[in-house]
Amino acid sequence: MKERAAVSKSAVLAILLVGIVLTAGAGFTMKATDQAEFCGSCHVMYEAVRTHQQSVHAKLDCNDCHTPDPFIPKMTFKTYAGMKDMYKNTLGQVYDVIHASEKTKEVVNDNCTRCHAMTTLNVETVKPFCTDCHRQVPHMNKLPIAQRRVADE
Amino acid sequence: MNNKVLPLVMMLFIFGLATGCTEIPEPKTPSYETTLDATEDRNSAFEEFFPIHYQTYLQNNDDSQMTEYGGSVPHEKHLCGDLPQAYKYCQPYLKNLWTGYPFSFEYNRARGHTYAVHDLLDIDRLNRYSEQAGLPSTCWNCKSNKVPGYVQEYGDDFWAMEFHQFREEHDLEDHTIGCNVCHDPETMDLRITSVPLREAFEKIGIDLENATRNEMRSYVCAQCHVEYYFQDPKFGAPAKPIFPWTLGLNPEEQYEYYKGFGSTTREGFEGWFIDWTHPVSDTPMIKIQHPEFEMWHDGVHGAAGVSCADCHMPYVRLDGKKKISSHRWTSPLKHIEQSCLQCHSDKQPDYLKERVIYSQERTWEQLLVAQEISVKAHEAVRLASEYQGSRHADFNQLMIQARERIRKGQMFWDWVSAENSAGFHNPAKALEILAKSQQYSQQAVNYAMQATNYAIAPDLEGDIYEIVPPIKEHSRKLQMSQEHLDSHTWLQYLPKFEEADLIWDLNQRVR
């Protein structure tokens, strides 16, 4: 009896410990993989990270804009997007010019309003996307190419 | 279960640490080191080092696709009709307006760089019926990648040398516009090999050594896609190519520039530069050639720093992964996805195409009107100069003014006609130039009518296409035939050429 109790006690402790490590690890990983340093580890993302770093949003994470904010949708969105990007980068083909998907455009737009709601509180915004007016925000895509891209990326 | 998940989490963690902390570099171009000689000029020598770049370069061989106003089928620009010889957007009066100048023999739509030497050696503008081409070796300047070598070897003597003597040295594919024109063969860094561009930039204070990468992405094209003239011996090395830029890059400024740098003693035009004298109106003319750089530089894209290469050499991923610059120089309307959508990502390709055509359609319409009034101006001065009735007291002065307006009106429409974007590179400027051209040519008509006390006015009434029909056919061979010269009033002002056979077929002597 005594022995069994000790085993189950240490087992519970071990599971708890593993649980804490796992949760902390997952939390850390979630945060790390939100950031430009991680996203920019694939060369095809250099342009996006480069222009992000020069922008007013440089101190934010990529995924402050590029994934939904609530935890559950964020998890599923991130998993799907990450899998798709890894597939494109390894077995698939990368497009000549990379564009945001319709889903991403919506997610990004929701995140605009999430942070900037107070600014637009008293006005009606009529264009479909905030970036239809704030056009430099999508990675300064009106800059001459030489300021954004080089070969071999 | 824990035994499996834990290593996985650790692996992800390590993966994140190892890969996810790299600094993103500044947009710094990759550097290369080839084993090629610094003077390498054969295009094929570069293939083994840069096979996929070379693959895109060979795509310039496609000369089958047209866009709406542009494209790569080398049709005759004055002929209206069906491809491949003619096209629906034609300029029917070109041969009339260039009568007496080699451009009246043959002038076709440009196609890929890979055909440059072939088309140069095939064109009727250079006299292939004689030991003398009639045009200097300067004509090699923007076609052959052997020119840097020739300039090294002969210096400024090269320009006035006999064109034909270099024909046989040229391989049609290996020596056409290629790698060494824009790249240092050892490092592949962008470089300017053009003598006239280096000298023009020096004169207007552009420092090539400190040019930014963005500027170089246009300057390499400005080596050739510019207006130029051949130097009069009075001003230095004979036939040396010069870009007329010291007063500015626009037609008004270039027109002022050409009020010098010539050696004519003709009354009213003393010292002005003259490309040829139009035999029908006896006007000292200026010929404009492909001023793409000048048209682009202050247009909406050029002024915003968008370079030639941004649209004409878009990044492509031939292997599905790494970007290279496409080396297929053609109409970007053939690849809107790659060229335009890298900036205009919120637009659809069809929308962008329609916007291009919006400018081109209007430019084209006004270009044809400007050419019609230009023809009318030549005709008016022809009639006035032959008018035997009572003349205005200031007849001679009025005729000088009329011819000066013909020269200016024609130089202006030629600026748009010769430019290869049909207005798109700078829509407002193109339309302004054409509006001015129409005004200048109309002033020429007015002066000529005034000089004859309006006696010629009735002869200029009505449809210009009936008064002066477009010359559909003309060539060096045809100018050997009296029957041909008698077939059109304007052709009667040309001397008959001696009968002769072809001496050259491309780079081979046939006689």
Side-chain angles (χ1 to χ4, degrees):
Chain A
M1 259 321 253
K2 211 177 179 184
E3 215 169 274
R4 251 178 89 189
V7 167
S8 57
K9 212 176 183 181
S10 59
V12 167
L13 260 172
I15 289 166
L16 224 84
L17 208 71
V18 167
I20 289 167
V21 168
L22 270 176
T23 311
F28 178 85
T29 311
M30 274 296 276
K31 179 71 182 162
T33 53
D34 275 351
Q35 291 169 346
E37 286 79 1
F38 175 77
C39 301
S41 59
C42 289
H43 291 211
V44 296
M45 281 296 120
Y46 274 17
E47 178 187 352
V49 174
R50 197 175 275 144
T51 48
H52 166 249
Q53 286 176 346
Q54 294 166 17
S55 76
V56 290
H57 291 116
K59 292 207 170 119
L60 301 179
D61 293 344
C62 298
N63 281 349
D64 284 335
C65 297
H66 281 272
T67 55
D69 185 53
F71 184 72
I72 301 296
K74 181 171 182 137
M75 280 288 281
T76 52
F77 188 90
K78 230 177 131 164
T79 309
Y80 173 75
M83 300 274 274
K84 195 189 79 185
D85 290 353
M86 282 208 285
Y87 174 79
K88 286 268 181 201
N89 265 298
T90 48
L91 304 169
Q93 298 261 314
V94 183
Y95 301 118
D96 285 341
V97 183
I98 300 167
H99 294 289
S101 66
E102 290 307 312
K103 180 72 193 153
T104 288
K105 282 187 200 165
E106 278 168 32
V107 166
V108 170
N109 206 59
D110 289 347
N111 283 322
C112 296
T113 45
R114 177 167 64 86
C115 294
H116 298 284
M118 289 312 282
T119 313
T120 56
L121 195 62
N122 294 320
V123 289
E124 191 178 358
T125 50
V126 288
K127 299 236 177 171
F129 298 105
C130 300
T131 56
D132 288 344
C133 293
H134 299 272
R135 294 168 67 172
Q136 87 289 358
V137 177
H139 298 277
M140 302 177 174
N141 68 9
K142 301 297 182 281
L143 282 183
I145 297 300
Q147 294 177 37
R148 302 189 261 142
R149 298 182 185 177
V150 287
D152 275 0
E153 289 182 355
Chain B
M1 190 191 150
N2 288 343
N3 289 348
K4 283 181 186 169
V5 174
L6 206 64
L8 213 79
V9 172
M10 288 306 285
M11 263 173 65
L12 213 85
F13 186 69
I14 291 164
F15 174 76
L17 276 181
T19 62
C21 298
T22 38
E23 288 270 312
I24 306 305
E26 286 290 295
K28 198 172 173 301
T29 48
S31 57
Y32 300 101
E33 230 173 275
T34 70
T35 53
L36 295 168
D37 195 83
T39 59
E40 182 59 67
D41 61 14
R42 289 166 303 132
N43 295 329
S44 59
F46 291 80
E47 184 176 7
E48 65 167 300
F49 297 97
F50 304 99
I52 51 175
H53 294 79
Y54 203 77
Q55 196 182 322
T56 62
Y57 170 75
L58 290 182
Q59 290 171 357
N60 291 297
N61 284 330
D62 177 7
D63 64 345
S64 63
Q65 281 187 70
M66 289 301 283
T67 55
E68 186 66 10
Y69 285 86
S72 315
V73 181
H75 66 90
E76 295 185 60
K77 283 210 176 178
H78 74 289
L79 266 191
C80 308
D82 296 329
L83 292 168
Q85 265 71 47
Y87 194 51
K88 55 180 173 174
Y89 299 112
C90 48
Q91 302 165 63
Y93 273 132
L94 290 181
K95 284 189 188 285
N96 300 62
L97 291 159
W98 293 329
T99 302
Y101 200 53
F103 272 86
S104 66
F105 296 131
E106 192 177 5
Y107 176 56
N108 307 325
R109 174 170 301 283
R111 55 178 171 168
H113 284 168
T114 46
Y115 292 109
V117 164
H118 176 281
D119 290 351
L120 173 71
L121 297 184
D122 202 34
I123 199 86
D124 199 33
R125 294 208 285 276
L126 290 145
N127 193 347
R128 292 160 300 162
Y129 302 88
S130 162
E131 297 295 343
Q132 283 84 44
L135 287 163
S137 283
T138 321
C139 295
W140 289 107
N141 185 56
C142 272
K143 309 287 180 196
S144 154
N145 59 16
K146 290 171 79 72
V147 169
Y150 288 149
V151 171
Q152 195 88 32
E153 190 177 347
Y154 303 108
D156 270 350
D157 292 338
F158 169 69
W159 314 112
M161 289 169 83
E162 175 51 47
F163 176 90
H164 287 329
Q165 89 175 69
F166 299 104
R167 273 185 187 254
E168 284 166 321
E169 294 176 12
H170 278 80
D171 182 274
L172 298 182
E173 280 150 27
D174 237 1
H175 295 133
T176 188
I177 301 166
C179 316
N180 77 328
V181 174
C182 303
H183 292 285
D184 180 329
E186 289 171 305
T187 62
M188 298 311 281
D189 288 341
L190 286 183
R191 69 167 183 183
I192 300 300
T193 49
S194 160
V195 172
L197 185 66
R198 285 192 163 276
E199 296 191 354
F201 274 170
E202 222 164 84
K203 282 184 207 156
I204 63 175
I206 290 180
D207 177 13
L208 263 181
E209 303 316 312
N210 292 314
T212 64
R213 172 171 164 245
N214 195 41
E215 287 163 344
M216 285 301 280
R217 281 163 61 87
S218 295
Y219 291 169
V220 287
C221 310
Q223 299 188 100
C224 293
H225 290 261
V226 293
E227 153 63 4
Y228 64 89
Y229 72 102
F230 297 166
Q231 185 160 262
D232 187 289
K234 194 178 153 192
F235 295 88
K240 186 171 182 171
I242 314 274
F243 301 166
W245 289 355
T246 48
L247 299 179
L249 263 61
N250 285 312
E252 286 288 359
E253 294 144 351
Q254 289 184 350
Y255 186 76
E256 286 306 307
Y257 179 97
Y258 284 128
K259 287 182 177 173
F261 301 97
S263 55
T264 180
T265 55
R266 189 176 163 153
E267 192 195 350
F269 302 95
E270 294 91 345
W272 290 22
F273 185 82
I274 299 175
D275 269 311
W276 91 106
T277 301
H278 198 293
V280 174
S281 62
D282 189 25
T283 307
M285 306 296 294
I286 293 290
K287 178 79 189 74
I288 296 295
Q289 283 91 195
H290 41 69
E292 270 86 66
F293 181 73
E294 296 99 314
M295 187 70 98
W296 156 88
H297 86 282
D298 58 352
V300 278
H301 287 96
V306 177
S307 72
C308 305
D310 285 6
C311 309
H312 290 279
M313 301 182 70
Y315 282 115
V316 292
R317 304 177 199 268
L318 246 60
D319 59 357
K321 296 291 184 295
K322 286 183 173 178
K323 296 197 295 280
I324 62 154
S325 289
S326 167
H327 282 60
R328 177 197 186 194
W329 305 277
T330 186
S331 167
L333 289 180
K334 294 177 189 170
H335 41 68
I336 295 174
E337 286 277 349
Q338 284 87 351
S339 286
C340 312
L341 263 58
Q342 52 187 341
C343 299
H344 302 286
S345 51
D346 55 338
K347 302 293 189 300
Q348 293 301 313
D350 279 348
Y351 171 85
L352 293 167
K353 191 175 132 194
E354 287 309 313
R355 294 311 303 165
V356 173
I357 292 173
Y358 181 89
S359 296
Q360 292 181 327
E361 195 181 331
R362 283 151 184 79
T363 305
W364 193 264
E365 234 170 77
Q366 294 308 313
L367 172 64
L368 295 188
V369 172
Q371 290 176 341
E372 287 160 17
I373 307 179
S374 197
V375 167
K376 193 172 175 183
H378 283 285
E379 179 68 1
V381 167
R382 179 184 83 86
L383 293 171
S385 63
E386 291 167 11
Y387 179 63
Q388 297 301 325
S390 101
R391 293 170 161 186
H392 193 283
D394 278 338
F395 181 84
N396 286 341
Q397 271 314 307
L398 287 166
M399 290 297 278
I400 288 172
Q401 284 173 286
R403 290 187 170 108
E404 187 273 335
R405 294 285 101 172
I406 289 184
R407 170 178 158 108
K408 193 168 187 180
Q410 176 148 346
M411 187 192 125
F412 272 55
W413 66 249
D414 207 356
W415 229 85
V416 177
S417 166
E419 208 273 338
N420 281 302
S421 69
F424 175 73
H425 287 155
N426 197 334
K429 185 154 108 181
L431 283 168
E432 185 211 18
I433 295 169
L434 291 173
K436 284 182 167 180
S437 167
Q438 294 168 12
Q439 290 155 22
Y440 298 142
S441 296
Q442 185 57 49
Q443 286 164 7
V445 174
N446 296 351
Y447 283 130
M449 292 202 294
Q450 197 186 341
T452 60
N453 296 322
Y454 301 93
I456 61 166
D459 296 328
L460 295 166
E461 280 170 10
D463 186 0
I464 189 68
Y465 286 90
E466 278 164 24
I467 302 167
V468 182
I471 298 170
K472 288 194 177 134
E473 278 195 307
H474 189 56
S475 65
R476 286 187 189 272
K477 192 78 199 167
L478 284 169
Q479 200 166 336
M480 297 171 194
S481 142
Q482 192 59 49
E483 198 189 331
H484 171 69
L485 295 180
D486 291 340
S487 69
H488 192 289
T489 314
W490 281 28
L491 291 174
Q492 287 164 7
Y493 292 81
L494 292 172
K496 183 178 168 296
F497 287 163
E498 287 283 317
E499 288 278 343
D501 291 324
L502 271 179
I503 295 176
W504 291 99
D505 178 22
L506 298 173
N507 55 355
Q508 278 169 17
R509 183 178 271 277
V510 290
R511 242 173 29 94

